[in-house]
C-alpha cells in the first residue's frame, strides 16, 4: 500500500524523537498543585435548549490563571441513582458543538460534559498575559515565556479539572467517568486521562499534539501544525534555539503524559493521515502502559473512520 509515514511494523515499536524535558514530572506535579488550589466556583445556568429527556445547562468554572471555562452539560432526566458521565473534547480551533449531537449518550444513561477550549471557538475565556507571540497558534502561545505559561498547559489542566467536577456531581458515579474526542480532542482525552487518572475509559481518535520534532522532520509543519514553522520563521530563523524549543514543547507533548494513564484506552488511527502523522500517534500509543486497543484504518487519513464511532460507543458502554 502507499505510505505517508513509516511501515506499520516500524510504527508498532516507534518511541518518538521529540526531547523530553528533564523536569517533566516536576513540571506537571507543580501544575496540578496550582489547579487544585483554584476555587472552581462552578455555576450551572439552564440553557435555552431543552428537550423532554434531558436537563441542559451551560456549566462554567474557574480554571488556572482565573479563566472562566465553559462546557455544555446535559444530564438524563428521571434517573434514580448515580450514573456514568462522558467528558468530550473538540478539534483544534473548534467548540463544544451542538446540543443535539450529545443526546445519543444521554439516551444511554450518561451525563455529558462537552468543554470549550479557552481561546478557541466557544465561550471559554483566554486570560492571556504571556510574553511573545499571541498572533497565530496555541501550540506556540507562551513558548518564549516561562514554561508554566504555555497555553496548552492550561488547557490540559482544564480537561482534568472538568473531569474532577463531573466526578463531584451528586448525580454522577465518580468511578464511571469516561473521556472521548478526536484530533485536538483526542490529545485532550489522553491528557485528561493522564492528569485525572480516575478516568475509567478513554477513546481518542487520531490524537494531535504529539512528537513535534517528528512533525518538523517530516516537513508536515502545515495545516494543524503550521504554527511551528511560523515560530521558527519569525523568532528563530536560523534555528539557533531548535533544541531548546523542541525540548520546551516536550512539556505539552502528550507522549510524555501517556504513562500516567490508568484507565483503558481505545485509539483510532488512519495510516494516510498527513495532518497528525501516524508515527506521532504511535509515539504516544506505544508509551501507554494501561490496557489499550488500537483500531487501524490503512486507507484513511484525518477524516471520518467508517464504523469507528460505533466501536467507540460500544467501548464506552463497558463502563
Amino acid at each position: 500500500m502507499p505510505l505517508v509515514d513509516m511501515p506499520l511494523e516500524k510504527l508498532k515499536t516507534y518511541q518518538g524523537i521529540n526531547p523530553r524535558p528533564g523536569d517533566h514530572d516536576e513540571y506537571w506535579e507543580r501544575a496540578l498543585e496550582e489547579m487544585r488550589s483554584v476555587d472552581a466556583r462552578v455555576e450551572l445556568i439552564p440553557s435555552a435548549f431543552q428537550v423532554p429527556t434531558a436537563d441542559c445547562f451551560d456549566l462554567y468554572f474557574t480554571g488556572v490563571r482565573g479563566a472562566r471555562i465553559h462546557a455544555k452539560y446535559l444530564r438524563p432526566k428521571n434517573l434514580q441513582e448515580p450514573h456514568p458521565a462522558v467528558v468530550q473534547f473538540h478539534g483544534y480551533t473548534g467548540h463544544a458543538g451542538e446540543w443535539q449531537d450529545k443526546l445519543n449518550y444521554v439516551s444511554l444513561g450518561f451525563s455529558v460534559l462537552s468543554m470549550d477550549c479557552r481561546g478557541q471557538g466557544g465561550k471559554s475565556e483566554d486570560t492571556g498575559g504571556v510574553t511573545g507571540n499571541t498572533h497565530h497558534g496555541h501550540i506556540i502561545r507562551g513558548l518564549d515565556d516561562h514554561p508554566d505559561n504555555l497555553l496548552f498547559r492550561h488547557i490540559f489542566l482544564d480537561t482534568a479539572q472538568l473531569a474532577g467536577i463531573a466526578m463531584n456531581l451528586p448525580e454522577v458515579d465518580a468511578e464511571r467517568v469516561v473521556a472521548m474526542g478526536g484530533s485536538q480532542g483526542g490529545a485532550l482525552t489522553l491528557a485528561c486521562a493522564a492528569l485525572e487518572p480516575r478516568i475509567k475509559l478513554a477513546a481518542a481518535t487520531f490524537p494531535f499534539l504529539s512528537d513535534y520534532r517528528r512533525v518538523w522532520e517530516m516537513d508536515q509543519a502545515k495545516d494543524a501544525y503550521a504554527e511551528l514553522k511560523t515560530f521558527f520563521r519569525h523568532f528563530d530563523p536560523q534555528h539557533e534555539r531548535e533544541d531548546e524549543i523542541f525540548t520546551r514543547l516536550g512539556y505539552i507533548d502528550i507522549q510524555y503524559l501517556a504513562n500516567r494513564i490508568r484507565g483503558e484506552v481505545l485509539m483510532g488511527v488512519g495510516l494516510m493521515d498527513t495532518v497528525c502523522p501516524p508515527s506521532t500517534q504511535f509515539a504516544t500509543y506505544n508509551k501507554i502502559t494501561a490496557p489499550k486497543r488500537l483500531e487501524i484504518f490503512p486507507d484513511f487519513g484525518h477524516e471520518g473512520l467508517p464504523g469507528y464511532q460505533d466501536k467507540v460507543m460500544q467501548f464506552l458502554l463497558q463502563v
Side-chain angles (χ1 to χ4, degrees):
M1 62 170 289
L3 292 175
V4 300
D5 205 328
M6 303 172 182
L8 181 57
E9 288 308 307
K10 188 171 181 180
L11 290 172
K12 289 178 178 179
T13 59
Y14 177 66
Q15 291 297 311
I17 59 173
N18 199 84
R20 182 183 188 274
D23 64 342
H24 184 274
D25 290 338
E26 294 84 353
Y27 175 90
W28 280 106
E29 289 307 315
R30 184 170 68 247
L32 288 167
E33 184 177 345
E34 180 181 344
M35 181 195 79
R36 294 178 187 124
S37 73
V38 172
D39 179 0
R41 295 190 297 119
V42 177
E43 183 180 15
L44 290 176
I45 302 171
S47 169
F49 178 91
Q50 296 293 333
V51 292
T53 56
D55 297 314
C56 303
F57 300 91
D58 289 292
L59 184 153
Y60 290 89
F61 67 93
T62 300
V64 295
R65 310 301 165 91
R68 289 296 280 173
I69 306 302
H70 172 261
K72 290 181 172 176
Y73 176 47
L74 302 85
R75 67 185 182 202
K77 286 186 175 177
N78 304 320
L79 285 185
Q80 301 304 311
E81 56 189 44
H83 55 265
V86 54
V87 288
Q88 297 180 338
F89 305 109
H90 62 75
Y92 199 26
T93 76
H95 54 78
E98 303 285 342
W99 293 94
Q100 56 82 22
D101 66 16
K102 296 146 188 46
L103 293 172
N104 54 352
Y105 280 95
V106 173
S107 73
L108 296 170
F110 287 79
S111 277
V112 178
L113 300 93
S114 188
M115 190 183 85
D116 284 331
C117 290
R118 56 174 77 193
Q120 297 187 20
K123 297 180 180 179
S124 291
E125 184 179 18
D126 175 8
T127 50
V130 298
T131 299
N133 174 74
T134 61
H135 173 62
H136 177 68
H138 283 188
I139 298 172
I140 61 175
R141 178 80 67 89
L143 196 53
D144 261 339
D145 206 322
H146 191 282
D148 285 1
N149 292 331
L150 286 163
L151 183 59
F152 265 113
R153 169 195 185 268
H154 307 339
I155 295 173
F156 286 4
L157 291 173
D158 292 339
T159 70
Q161 193 174 358
L162 179 62
I165 289 168
M167 292 169 184
N168 285 328
L169 292 169
E171 60 268 31
V172 170
D173 182 344
E175 296 184 359
R176 300 171 69 202
V177 176
V178 301
M180 65 180 295
S183 196
Q184 175 186 250
L188 298 184
T189 293
L190 297 176
C192 179
L195 298 174
E196 178 40 272
R198 293 177 293 170
I199 288 287
K200 199 74 172 179
L201 304 171
T205 311
F206 36 61
F208 184 42
L209 305 175
S210 179
D211 207 11
Y212 302 103
R213 193 163 214 158
R214 172 66 178 166
V215 172
W216 182 262
E217 292 193 356
M218 289 181 68
D219 195 27
Q220 293 299 309
K222 60 184 183 63
D223 301 324
Y225 284 107
E227 61 206 77
L228 297 179
K229 186 171 290 185
T230 298
F231 186 88
F232 280 115
R233 286 175 63 86
H234 286 304
F235 303 109
D236 188 19
Q238 293 187 281
H239 284 240
E240 294 169 340
R241 299 166 54 208
E242 182 175 315
D243 288 344
E244 172 199 339
I245 294 306
F246 282 116
T247 300
R248 184 164 290 198
L249 286 169
Y251 289 117
I252 55 168
D253 187 331
I254 60 168
Q255 67 175 310
Y256 296 126
L257 289 170
N259 66 349
R260 290 175 171 257
I261 297 171
R262 296 294 174 263
E264 186 175 352
V265 175
L266 171 67
M267 261 182 62
V269 57
L271 296 186
M272 302 302 290
D273 194 336
T274 58
V275 176
C276 297
S279 55
T280 68
Q281 299 177 53
F282 275 86
T284 294
Y285 182 80
N286 292 339
K287 291 182 177 64
I288 296 171
T289 58
K292 60 185 178 180
R293 184 172 102 234
L294 186 65
E295 297 287 341
I296 297 173
F297 294 79
D299 303 312
F300 288 81
H302 209 74
E303 58 185 314
L305 304 176
Y308 179 70
Q309 289 306 318
D310 291 344
K311 294 176 187 290
V312 168
M313 181 173 281
Q314 293 290 308
F315 172 67
L316 296 182
L317 281 171
Q318 296 176 97
V319 76

